Amino acid sequence: MDNKQIKMIRFSFGKVSFEAFADIFYTNYTSIQPSLRLVFPDDLGRRREQLRLMIGAGLGMLSDSVNAVPALEQSGRRYALNGVREEHYRTIGAALIDSLREVNEPDDEAEAVWTSHFDAMSEIMKRGARSYFDSPDQIPAYKNTRGLNAKF
């Protein structure tokens, strides 16, 4: 990713109200795939914080992949324990881009950069989930497993 693309991502997200973005994002992903509502906690504050951490790690990855990659892998493991499976990342990515489009009205180039960056982030998160399970088939499906004392 070149400096222009990095600036484009930071600028487009920097002008967004995170709370508004989070509300739109969670509405979008559950409208695309309603069963995902079961994966995430009902507490909006907790959901916002998890989204903030994921987006923060993704933005950090733009300039500091050494520290961002482990954070994204940990998010992938945490999401997998909550029932997020590899096929859900497509839905989450679509909701993310739709939400950015709603709050930001990006041009085609900015949207393509965001999509590419999310794809890279999701691959790291999926790798983190795979490192925790012997195979993707072991990831719980739509099951609240937050009570597990998993060590990351």
Side-chain angles (χ1 to χ4, degrees):
M1 186 167 296
D2 64 31
N3 284 335
K4 178 185 175 193
Q5 293 170 322
I6 290 171
K7 286 179 183 177
M8 189 181 303
I9 287 176
R10 287 193 173 138
F11 177 77
S12 65
F13 202 75
K15 63 182 185 175
V16 170
S17 158
F18 183 79
E19 285 71 24
F21 172 78
D23 290 343
I24 291 167
F25 172 78
Y26 286 110
T27 298
N28 284 344
Y29 89 76
T30 56
S31 69
I32 294 169
Q33 190 169 358
S35 60
L36 280 175
R37 182 171 288 155
L38 300 173
V39 174
F40 293 94
D42 291 331
D43 178 10
L44 185 58
R46 184 173 173 196
R47 285 188 291 177
R48 279 189 179 141
E49 186 56 28
Q50 289 173 345
L51 182 62
R52 185 183 307 273
L53 290 172
M54 184 195 73
I55 297 225
L59 292 172
M61 190 173 112
L62 295 169
S63 59
D64 184 11
S65 62
V66 171
N67 289 314
V69 167
L72 288 167
E73 288 175 337
Q74 181 175 356
S75 290
R77 288 188 290 271
R78 184 176 43 252
Y79 288 167
L81 286 171
N82 287 336
V84 175
R85 301 179 63 83
E86 288 195 10
E87 61 267 18
H88 297 149
Y89 282 92
R90 178 172 286 134
T91 301
I92 293 168
L96 178 75
I97 298 305
D98 288 349
S99 302
L100 285 167
R101 195 179 297 130
E102 283 184 52
V103 298
N104 232 347
E105 299 178 22
D107 60 26
D108 291 342
E109 183 182 8
E111 194 169 311
V113 171
W114 266 106
T115 300
S116 174
H117 188 59
F118 177 78
D119 289 346
M121 286 174 44
S122 65
E123 285 305 314
I124 293 167
M125 294 172 76
K126 288 187 270 187
R127 182 177 68 216
R130 285 185 219 118
S131 73
Y132 193 73
F133 296 96
D134 291 332
S135 77
D137 294 337
Q138 291 181 329
I139 296 172
Y142 308 125
K143 188 174 177 184
N144 179 349
T145 56
R146 286 181 287 281
L148 294 176
N149 293 320
K151 294 182 182 178
F152 299 136

